[in-house]
């Protein structure tokens, strides 16, 4: 049995690793999607790579959550359910909607994502299952924590889904190559899908209130922002007419 202080210590180390990873990724483009490179070893189907790497997050979060010792409440199930909604989309819906015929992803990237999803699922699932989330429903569902967290989470989720839809339908049937995405939050940033995901997990952290949830929000920022900057530079280099006032991931700022 891991006590709360020990779990928070593990989570703190995990958060320090997120910051280190952030500075590494600022110097190293992640080699998948439009940046895929065979220099990173064996490649596999992009679609099945997404499926394989995302599924463990649901499995590990649920395992540690349901094996936890505290009594589960409607709040506990809400937090578990929000996690599952995101990852059901990422595992079973998104990979089979994207037009990635013939595209590959390095096996090493998939393996790294599985390791991340194990650790992330562990700290959050163990916290939810043994220490947190069992708030008194009558108090929690009328609190500022709930209303603010829910608004932030839902906003991020909708931005993420809407932006994904724009990207998925950017090319007409039979078309290949890349285009400049427009509409929605693309008016302000190159990667609103990434921005939405960061907002989403900040909302989750507000709703949950525990250090493990905030560690996921930090990891989302540290992993996604460098990738968004890479995308932004790629768009600028590829399209001479790319909108000059569009930022990478944070409107008007970054």
């Amino acid at each position: 049995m891991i006590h709360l202080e020990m779990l928070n210590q593990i989570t703190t180390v995990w958060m320090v690793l997120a910051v280190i990873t952030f500075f590494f990724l600022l110097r190293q483009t992640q080699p998948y999607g439009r940046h895929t490179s065979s220099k990173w070893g064996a490649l596999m189907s992009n679609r099945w790579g997404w499926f394989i790497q995302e599924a463990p997050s649901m499995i590990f979060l649920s395992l540690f959550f349901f094996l936890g010792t505290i009594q589960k409440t409607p709040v506990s199930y809400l937090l578990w359910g929000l996690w599952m909604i995101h990852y059901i989309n990422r595992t079973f819906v998104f990979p089979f909607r994207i037009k990635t015929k013939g595209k590959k992803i390095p096996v090493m990237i998939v393996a790294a994502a599985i390791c991340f999803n194990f650790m992330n699922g562990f700290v959050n699932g163990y916290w939810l299952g043994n220490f947190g989330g069992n708030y008194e429903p009558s108090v929690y569902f009328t609190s500022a924590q709930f209303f603010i967290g829910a608004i932030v989470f839902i906003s991020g989720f909708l931005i993420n889904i809407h932006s994904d839809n724009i990207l998925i339908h950017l090319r007409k049937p039979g078309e290949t190559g890349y285009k400049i995405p427009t509409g929605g939050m693309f008016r302000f940033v190159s990667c609103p899908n990434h921005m939405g995901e960061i907002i989403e997990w900040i909302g989750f952290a507000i709703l949950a209130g525990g250090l493990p949830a905030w560690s996921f929000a930090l990891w989302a920022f540290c992993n996604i922002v460098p990738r968004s900057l890479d995308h932004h530079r790629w768009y600028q280099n590829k399209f001479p007419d790319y909108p000059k006032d569009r930022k990478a991931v944070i409107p008007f700022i970054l």
Side-chain angles (χ1 to χ4, degrees):
M1 177 71 177
I2 298 175
H3 52 74
L4 180 58
E5 182 180 357
M6 182 180 295
L7 181 65
N8 283 337
Q9 289 171 346
I10 293 170
T11 304
T12 300
V13 173
W14 181 233
M15 295 172 79
V16 171
L17 182 58
V19 176
I20 294 172
T21 300
F22 173 74
F23 288 106
F24 171 75
L25 293 178
L26 286 176
R27 300 171 59 88
Q28 176 62 62
T29 299
Q30 299 171 64
Y32 64 93
R34 69 195 63 184
H35 309 291
T36 297
S37 171
S38 59
K39 293 187 297 184
W40 290 73
L43 302 174
M44 66 179 294
S45 163
N46 188 63
R47 175 170 290 139
W48 287 107
W50 268 99
F51 177 84
I52 292 169
Q53 74 183 28
E54 299 298 330
S57 187
M58 294 187 297
I59 296 170
F60 293 130
L61 187 283
S62 297
L63 178 67
F64 290 109
F65 173 68
F66 286 109
L67 290 178
T69 56
I70 63 172
Q71 181 179 358
K72 309 303 185 291
T73 70
V75 181
S76 304
Y77 287 115
L78 168 70
L79 297 171
W80 172 79
L82 293 176
W83 186 289
M84 295 298 288
I85 287 171
H86 174 88
Y87 277 102
I88 286 172
N89 176 63
R90 278 283 167 240
T91 304
F92 298 106
V93 180
F94 177 75
F96 300 98
R97 294 185 66 214
I98 53 177
K99 299 170 183 177
T100 60
K101 184 178 181 180
K103 292 187 177 181
K104 303 290 184 179
I105 185 173
V107 173
M108 188 171 73
I109 293 296
V110 175
I114 291 172
C115 293
F116 168 79
N117 282 324
F118 166 75
M119 189 64 189
N120 194 40
F122 160 65
V123 295
N124 280 280
Y126 201 91
W127 182 82
L128 275 176
N130 293 279
F131 305 112
N134 60 336
Y135 302 110
E136 172 57 43
S138 62
V139 176
Y140 179 83
F141 288 122
T142 58
S143 68
Q145 177 184 0
F146 170 70
F147 285 109
I148 294 172
I151 290 170
V152 174
F153 182 91
I154 293 170
S155 297
F157 183 78
L158 293 177
I159 291 170
N160 181 259
I161 295 295
H162 183 249
S163 302
D164 279 346
N165 285 336
I166 291 175
L167 290 173
I168 289 169
H169 296 101
L170 194 59
R171 292 190 293 267
K172 296 178 181 178
E175 287 186 330
T176 58
Y178 289 92
K179 294 182 177 181
I180 299 175
T182 59
M185 293 302 292
F186 281 104
R187 289 172 290 181
F188 305 104
V189 294
S190 296
C191 303
N193 49 333
H194 295 170
M195 180 184 72
E197 189 159 346
I198 294 171
I199 293 172
E200 195 177 336
W201 293 117
I202 291 173
F204 181 84
I206 295 170
L207 285 165
L211 189 63
W214 282 107
S215 77
F216 192 9
L218 177 64
W219 265 103
F221 180 90
C222 291
N223 184 53
I224 290 174
V225 167
R227 184 158 180 81
S228 299
L229 293 171
D230 287 335
H231 277 19
H232 187 62
R233 285 189 291 267
W234 182 91
Y235 276 123
Q236 290 175 321
N237 292 331
K238 187 172 182 63
F239 299 103
D241 58 340
Y242 196 70
K244 301 291 190 242
D245 57 347
R246 189 179 293 188
K247 298 298 184 181
V249 65
I250 303 176
F252 313 113
I253 298 174
L254 181 64

